[in-house]
Amino acid sequence: MAQKELHDLVIVGGGPGGLSAGIYAMRAALVTVLIEKGIMGGQVVMSDTVENYPGFENITGAELSQKIAEHAQSYGLKIIYEEATEVLPGLEYHTVKMANGEEYRTYAVILATGGSPRMLNVSGEMEYYGKGVSYCGVCDGFFFRNKTVVVIGGGDTAAEEALYLAKLAQKVYMVHRREELRAGMILQQRIKSECKIEMLWNTVCTSINAGNDGVNSVSLKNTKTSEQWDLPTDGAFIFIGFNPNNKLVPRGIKMNADGYVITDEKCETNIPGLYVIGDLRAKFARQIVVSASDGCIAALAAAHYVETKTTAETCELPAEFLENK
Ligand code: NAP
């Protein structure tokens, strides 16, 4: 059944950005609904340890997500667990269409749909996903206790995941295409001092190979010497960045060449009342705290926007005022 009520704000995405927007929206007394198709918390749920969110020296991603969700719900934020399939911008109001056929009409929309892990696109990756190929150490690391795993990538995520996997596995090879990690300095130092992790610099993975029991090796190539070899492993964990989840971004909204949405300082897109926050937004730093900050900015901006819309609709301007104009 279609939702006839006109909402002030619909937030799509229940990660730290969307939930922070929910907190600010509820405190601003906006009639708000948050839509989440999966589990609350977004990508951060996959993080074993978060050490850079202010106020928490060390917290698991799952716990941090839960705390932010509980905080938002303490203000009565309504959460709908369903997939949003389309956002239709309108002059009077925007419409968010749902997979179950419902529609939410709303003055403002905040898109907080984040990103998804990027694929390596080598042979064996798709075939053996779930049979030794993984994009989440916290989810699948348990199956590799005392085994050998290969981590592919050199960013913060790869480094954090390699350190997590080193707590479980017997040996972790970290395969990186350059000879310098992109990961931050503290993580680099930890990787260096973790004796279970062996770096394979200037190396790319060209295929993931498996037998009846799942992954048994990866084919590697040294980019400097062109040497190629097969490295025996029980698992291949791929962390080479992510792609923005921009499927719901309406046509006509400005994006950069990588598919991230361009916004102004209020996180507003080129369509009034349509905001984009978190990892989907084009910006310098993709951090949990930045997503939360985006959520605050967009919700406050949305509150102002809704006020101008509702004031324009409910107040009739005195005739003298119009004449003076
Ligand atoms: P990232 O920073 O984009 O790093 C991706 C890594 O994968 C890079 O080392 C890159 O190599 C490598 N790579 C990319 N494509 C590849 C390919 N086709 N083959 C082989 N290697 C490839 O991605 P990320 O580590 O997922 O981090 C994404 C963002 O989230 C970053 O801004 C990061 O700081 C942030 N993050 C924050 C936290 C936190 O707040 N605690 C935790 C994790 C991540 P090159 O270095 O050669 O480009």
Side-chain angles (χ1 to χ4, degrees):
M1 199 179 73
Q3 298 275 329
K4 296 290 176 204
E5 186 188 354
L6 184 57
H7 285 74
D8 289 331
L9 174 64
V10 171
I11 301 165
V12 186
L19 287 167
S20 299
I23 291 171
Y24 277 83
M26 294 308 290
R27 287 172 61 87
L30 296 184
V31 178
T32 304
V33 62
L34 184 148
I35 294 162
E36 168 57 56
K37 71 170 177 179
I39 50 165
M40 208 46 74
Q43 285 237 124
V44 68
V45 173
M46 314 280 191
S47 290
D48 171 47
T49 312
V50 176
E51 295 179 342
N52 52 10
Y53 194 85
F56 298 96
E57 282 171 31
N58 187 306
I59 186 167
T60 67
E63 207 184 336
L64 179 62
S65 303
Q66 195 188 340
K67 279 183 184 294
I68 304 176
E70 282 170 3
H71 190 174
Q73 283 174 296
S74 73
Y75 292 111
L77 176 66
K78 188 173 167 193
I79 297 175
I80 307 285
Y81 289 94
E82 182 63 57
E83 186 175 1
T85 52
E86 198 175 0
V87 175
L88 291 170
L91 277 180
E92 193 190 333
Y93 57 80
H94 305 309
T95 304
V96 179
K97 290 191 166 190
M98 308 293 290
N100 63 5
E102 287 195 349
E103 286 184 5
Y104 288 90
R105 294 171 183 179
T106 174
Y107 288 120
V109 176
I110 296 179
L111 279 181
T113 48
S116 303
R118 193 175 287 156
M119 292 186 70
L120 199 53
N121 292 323
V122 295
S123 86
E125 183 179 14
M126 287 282 274
E127 294 94 308
Y128 307 120
Y129 173 61
K131 295 177 189 140
V133 175
S134 172
Y135 303 87
C136 176
V138 177
C139 318
D140 301 325
F142 183 76
F143 303 112
F144 297 89
R145 276 167 303 155
N146 303 318
K147 294 189 173 180
T148 297
V149 295
V150 166
V151 166
I152 298 157
D156 283 337
T157 308
E160 281 181 357
E161 297 276 344
L163 288 163
Y164 174 75
L165 287 165
K167 288 191 245 170
L168 302 164
Q170 188 185 56
K171 176 87 187 175
V172 178
Y173 290 98
M174 199 166 168
V175 172
H176 184 38
R177 62 184 179 184
R178 293 189 290 135
E179 52 198 7
E180 189 189 349
L181 289 175
R182 184 180 288 274
M185 235 359 128
I186 289 182
L187 285 170
Q188 291 196 28
Q189 282 160 4
R190 286 191 195 153
I191 293 280
K192 246 187 223 164
S193 53
E194 172 51 69
C195 59
K196 280 193 193 171
I197 299 177
E198 183 174 333
M199 285 301 311
L200 300 176
W201 301 109
N202 300 312
T203 303
V204 291
C205 170
T206 52
S207 83
I208 298 168
N209 317 308
N212 289 338
D213 295 333
V215 168
N216 57 22
S217 73
V218 288
S219 300
L220 302 176
K221 183 180 174 183
N222 185 297
T223 55
K224 294 231 156 141
T225 62
S226 296
E227 181 197 353
Q228 298 188 41
W229 74 105
D230 282 355
L231 178 71
T233 184
D234 300 296
F237 286 80
I238 301 165
F239 307 108
I240 58 165
F242 63 89
N243 295 319
N245 290 334
N246 55 16
K247 208 178 76 177
L248 288 178
V249 175
R251 200 179 295 175
I253 284 203
K254 286 184 192 153
M255 289 195 259
N256 68 15
D258 297 323
Y260 292 93
V261 176
I262 296 166
T263 68
D264 64 11
E265 61 178 355
K266 291 185 288 183
C267 295
E268 194 169 26
T269 66
N270 53 311
I271 294 183
L274 220 158
Y275 303 84
V276 167
I277 64 169
D279 288 350
L280 175 58
R281 186 170 81 79
K283 61 182 166 190
F284 172 67
R286 289 179 210 294
Q287 300 288 307
I288 306 165
V289 68
V290 179
S291 293
S293 152
D294 282 0
C296 155
I297 294 167
L300 293 178
H304 183 71
Y305 175 80
V306 170
E307 199 181 320
T308 58
K309 290 291 273 185
T310 49
T311 309
E313 272 170 23
T314 54
C315 298
E316 281 188 19
L317 293 173
E320 321 85 74
F321 179 84
L322 292 172
E323 278 160 21
N324 288 342
K325 292 280 270 187

